[in-house]
Amino acid sequence: MSLLEVRDLAKHFTVGARGFLGRGGAVLRAVDGVSFELERGRALGLVGESGCGKSTAARTIVGLHRATAGSVRLGGVELTGLSRREWQAHRGRLQMIFQDPYASLDPRQTVASILTEPLAIHRRGKPRERRLRALALLDAVGLNPRHINRYPHEFSGGQRQRIGIARALALEPEVLVCDEPVSALDVSIQAQIVNLLAELRERFQLAYLFIAHDLAVVRHVCEEVAVMYLGRIVERAPRDELFERPRHPYTQALLSAVPLPDPAAERARRRIVLEGDVPSPLHPPPGCAFEPRCPARARPGRPLRARRRRSSRARRGARGLPRRARSAPWGLRVNPERRATYARPRGASSRGLPHVRMRARSSPHLRES
């Protein structure tokens, strides 16, 4: 049996509601029918564009948001309908690592207070035992136990994230929800945190729900990957199968955007360029949410349309300006009527630019470059 089971999870928000009861507003479908299973000691990666609902799904799973519909089971226990007091009995089994190591720690608390607070809330051990537990947690995440009386501002970003990981491990959880734990860190620090998470998972047999934008990190950490788009999971597969043979058009476009370390291979490959914007979750399209942007929707049964990367010269030529205007010493600005205007320096000639409308420099819509 799976340790964590999520079935048809949905989280909707009411936007622009009026009146005392909050009626009459539009419904924003942040998460709309997410389902997956997670076994003990395994890691599931959740990837997708910003705003697709990854963090909202994570917060709903750990109980920070009340689910609109669906089911979340932890070890066979249903969590979605529990009260706050009933949730507390299961809170220690399901913990979360937050994205921002600067905002997730209380600046007025010492490291000792941060690490012993979960133990005090759940009434585990005496004060001396809690302090010993905090010292052991600091050692487990690679920090000096002598720094237990320091404040968060005395640590670097990577060290703060290690403190956040130690706090999540304080109650000996079975599942860790990692909400982009390395996105706010430098590359070298990211490698240290990723290696630490891999070591802790093997040591304590933890299950990870790993949310990230960096597909290389997801491929290194997770055995299974789920791709999310507009509040829904559009594809889920084992790691190697998804990276080598993606099936959904959105997954193919997402993987084609990952740069290759080989410059020759990067220039030779074709990238799938998606057109248009992501539909609004206030008014999602019926059926497949990716249909308005799908490159294959007009040609069923044919391969996706791919484009070669344009050279820098081609990109310069696509700006829609005359060649002389591109090389002329004009400062381009756009007025509220969306018409291009140019500020002419003194002594410059406007000869050869018949398509450019000249305006005085005193115009409030013009400024020098």
Side-chain angles (χ1 to χ4, degrees):
M1 184 179 66
S2 300
L3 179 61
L4 178 65
E5 298 181 13
V6 179
R7 288 283 180 269
D8 300 324
L9 184 66
K11 177 57 185 175
H12 301 164
F13 297 93
T14 303
V15 180
R18 297 180 180 180
F20 177 74
L21 298 178
R23 297 177 178 175
V27 177
L28 189 150
R29 302 174 181 270
V31 180
D32 195 15
V34 169
S35 301
F36 61 85
E37 302 87 22
L38 184 59
E39 298 179 359
R40 187 182 303 275
R42 306 275 294 179
L44 171 66
L46 191 60
V47 301
E49 292 176 293
S50 297
C52 68
K54 303 185 301 296
S55 296
T56 304
R59 290 174 174 269
T60 306
I61 291 171
V62 300
L64 298 181
H65 292 322
R66 183 172 292 274
T68 304
S71 170
V72 177
R73 289 181 173 270
L74 180 61
V77 179
E78 180 62 44
L79 302 179
T80 52
L82 300 182
S83 63
R84 180 174 298 182
R85 177 169 295 184
E86 293 172 335
W87 241 110
Q88 186 172 349
H90 305 279
R91 186 77 67 183
R93 304 174 60 192
L94 183 62
Q95 288 290 299
M96 187 169 182
I97 301 174
F98 296 92
Q99 175 180 357
D100 191 352
Y102 298 91
S104 60
L105 302 179
D106 191 341
R108 295 180 177 87
Q109 287 186 320
T110 62
V111 174
S113 300
I114 292 173
L115 298 183
T116 57
E117 184 178 25
L119 301 172
I121 292 175
H122 290 265
R123 300 178 181 178
R124 297 192 181 182
K126 298 180 180 180
R128 177 178 174 81
E129 296 173 346
R130 297 169 191 164
R131 187 174 181 87
L132 292 176
R133 172 68 175 164
L135 292 171
L137 288 171
L138 287 179
D139 183 67
V141 298
L143 292 178
N144 192 338
R146 296 182 180 180
H147 299 162
I148 193 170
N149 292 322
R150 293 187 178 183
Y151 288 88
H153 71 270
E154 301 180 70
F155 295 91
S156 64
Q159 291 173 328
R160 294 187 193 188
Q161 193 62 291
R162 289 174 183 266
I163 296 173
I165 296 173
R167 179 181 59 184
L169 295 174
L171 297 175
E172 300 179 357
E174 301 175 41
V175 179
L176 273 184
V177 178
C178 308
D179 186 11
E180 302 187 31
V182 297
S183 62
L185 306 176
D186 296 335
V187 177
S188 59
I189 306 300
Q190 287 183 9
Q192 298 176 13
I193 298 300
V194 167
N195 293 333
L196 173 63
L197 291 174
E199 178 185 348
L200 293 174
R201 186 180 64 157
E202 183 178 356
R203 179 177 175 183
F204 299 108
Q205 285 298 302
L206 298 171
Y208 286 166
L209 176 59
F210 195 88
I211 300 172
H213 286 288
D214 194 337
L215 297 179
V217 174
V218 172
R219 190 170 188 175
H220 178 75
V221 174
C222 306
E223 291 88 8
E224 194 174 11
V225 182
V227 181
M228 198 167 178
Y229 182 81
L230 204 64
R232 308 174 187 176
I233 291 180
V234 297
E235 185 172 1
R236 177 185 163 204
R239 172 190 57 198
D240 296 336
E241 180 180 346
L242 185 134
F243 278 90
E244 295 174 5
R245 295 179 300 276
R247 296 186 178 182
H248 197 277
Y250 176 68
T251 308
Q252 297 173 13
L254 198 66
L255 295 178
S256 72
V258 179
L260 299 178
D262 185 1
E266 177 70 14
R267 288 192 298 266
R269 73 167 181 165
R270 293 178 178 270
R271 177 179 173 183
I272 301 172
V273 180
L274 299 180
E275 300 178 355
D277 298 326
V278 180
S280 172
L282 290 171
H283 307 286
C288 179
F290 187 62
E291 189 273 336
R293 303 177 67 196
C294 183
R297 70 182 186 276
R299 299 180 179 182
R302 297 188 180 183
L304 299 181
R305 293 178 296 176
R307 300 180 181 178
R308 290 188 180 273
R309 292 174 178 257
R310 295 181 299 176
S311 64
S312 59
R313 182 176 181 180
R315 288 195 296 268
R316 288 195 301 269
R319 295 177 183 176
L321 297 177
R323 184 167 299 277
R324 290 188 180 182
R326 290 200 300 271
S327 60
W330 311 109
L332 174 62
R333 292 294 181 268
V334 179
N335 63 8
E337 291 79 20
R338 298 181 179 273
R339 292 177 297 181
T341 56
Y342 300 86
R344 181 176 63 181
R346 293 181 180 177
S349 172
S350 61
R351 234 171 132 185
L353 295 175
H355 301 91
V356 178
R357 181 178 179 179
M358 307 306 298
R359 290 193 176 185
R361 182 172 292 184
S362 59
S363 172
H365 305 303
L366 300 179
R367 290 179 293 177
E368 294 185 17
S369 298

